[in-house]
Amino acid sequence: MSARRRRVLLWVATHAFAVALALMFLAPVAFMALTALMTDEQALTSDLWPRSWNWANFAEVFDRSLLLRWAGNTLLYAALGTLFTVVSSVPVAYALARFRFRGRRAAFLVVIAAMMLPPQVVAVPIYLVWARLGLTDSLWPLILPMLLGDAFSIFLLRQFLVTIPRDYTDAAKVDGCSDLRTLVRVVLPMARPAVAAVALFQFFYCWNDYYGPLLYAGVQQDHLTLSLGLATFKAFHSVQWNLTMAATLLVTAPVIVLFFLAQRVFIEGVTLTGVKG
């Protein structure tokens, strides 16, 4: 047996469990992509491989739906929601991690309790508030509350910020920096992995959110997001699995690409490794 073959077998034996998990996750994506390229008749059979490659299915999805409009609504929701969440959550997390004030522990417990509160519990009173403000049938009831911060984002950022040595912030204050300038110029560059992780978490949440748009977006097609629009498309094309899979692939592809492009900083932020010298 050659040395190269031994190395390959050793690598497979060492990573066998990881390879099996990867195949488990990739199999549904491969099935979805192959079905998206089938004809209507073949998609209803047990065939796993397309007899002919029907790339026109993707163009037909655009013709039969407002996919670009839904993508624009979703991008607006995800981009503004992510921006508002990061801008509003970072100062709160910094205050909980660095400032000494009466009631700090109680405030942190409130943040943790807010993480455990299901959104369905307060859905009715909050909906009535937005209805009286005349902002229903739009995505603004989902975007504007993010200006008040997000409990999970505050918790994650706070847990990262406590790992940053106080020597950095103390030195900045000795040099005459205010608390805001210390946060912007000293703390944020060190907390970049955590901020990136929070931003990605929030972006993925907004991109995949179904409950919120279902509650507030209304029934007009041009107000829908991708998740809600995809469900509507599936209802109208329930027997055309090739078109349904093509639409699903178009909706999930941007998220998959974004994750692979940012997975390094995402994993670094989630693991909360602290400050690197």
Side-chain angles (χ1 to χ4, degrees):
M1 183 182 296
S2 64
R4 182 178 180 181
R5 186 175 181 182
R6 284 198 300 268
R7 287 196 300 269
V8 172
L9 292 177
L10 179 61
W11 185 91
V12 172
T14 305
H15 302 88
F17 183 70
V19 171
L21 285 178
L23 292 176
M24 289 175 58
F25 284 102
L26 290 176
V29 179
F31 174 78
M32 178 173 60
L34 293 175
T35 306
L37 296 172
M38 294 180 181
T39 60
D40 292 344
E41 295 78 10
Q42 188 183 5
L44 296 175
T45 66
S46 59
D47 294 344
L48 296 178
W49 195 262
R51 300 191 189 101
S52 61
W53 302 90
N54 294 276
W55 298 99
N57 290 340
F58 296 99
E60 192 170 352
V61 170
F62 286 98
D63 293 336
R64 296 193 181 191
S65 67
L66 299 176
L67 193 63
L68 291 179
R69 178 67 177 181
W70 300 341
N73 294 338
T74 306
L75 188 59
L76 176 67
Y77 175 27
L80 290 181
T82 301
L83 177 64
F84 290 170
T85 298
V86 171
V87 171
S88 59
S89 299
V90 168
V92 179
Y94 179 69
L96 292 175
R98 282 291 183 262
F99 294 169
R100 304 290 183 182
F101 57 90
R102 183 177 299 178
R104 186 183 65 163
R105 292 186 177 179
F108 186 56
L109 289 176
V110 170
V111 172
I112 296 177
M115 293 171 54
M116 303 177 184
L117 186 66
Q120 292 80 4
V121 174
V122 294
V124 174
I126 292 179
Y127 183 87
L128 292 177
V129 170
W130 291 115
R132 291 183 179 180
L133 293 175
L135 291 178
T136 53
D137 294 334
S138 70
L139 296 176
W140 291 113
L142 302 174
I143 298 173
L144 293 179
M146 296 180 187
L147 285 170
L148 303 178
D150 175 69
F152 176 75
S153 302
I154 294 172
F155 173 79
L156 186 63
L157 288 168
R158 187 262 180 190
Q159 295 304 104
F160 189 94
L161 293 179
V162 295
T163 64
I164 297 178
R166 288 186 172 272
D167 295 342
Y168 293 103
T169 54
D170 292 342
K173 291 181 179 179
V174 169
D175 290 338
C177 291
S178 62
D179 291 324
L180 180 59
R181 189 175 181 183
T182 301
L183 171 62
V184 175
R185 300 294 296 273
V186 178
V187 176
L188 277 182
M190 299 181 189
R192 192 176 300 168
V195 174
V198 165
L200 285 173
F201 270 127
Q202 191 64 31
F203 187 88
F204 290 156
Y205 168 78
C206 295
W207 188 274
N208 298 319
D209 187 18
Y210 178 80
Y211 176 75
L214 178 64
L215 193 61
Y216 291 107
V219 296
Q220 297 185 24
Q221 289 288 313
D222 56 349
H223 290 173
L224 303 184
T225 59
L226 283 174
S227 58
L228 195 56
L230 182 61
T232 305
F233 184 87
K234 179 182 176 182
F236 282 105
H237 303 84
S238 57
V239 296
Q240 294 176 298
W241 285 105
N242 55 337
L243 296 183
T244 302
M245 293 299 179
T248 304
L249 189 62
L250 290 172
V251 171
T252 57
V255 178
I256 296 175
V257 172
L258 178 61
F259 175 77
F260 277 105
L261 291 177
Q263 63 175 331
R264 180 178 178 182
V265 67
F266 178 77
I267 295 173
E268 185 178 359
V270 172
T271 53
L272 303 178
T273 53
V275 182
K276 295 184 179 180

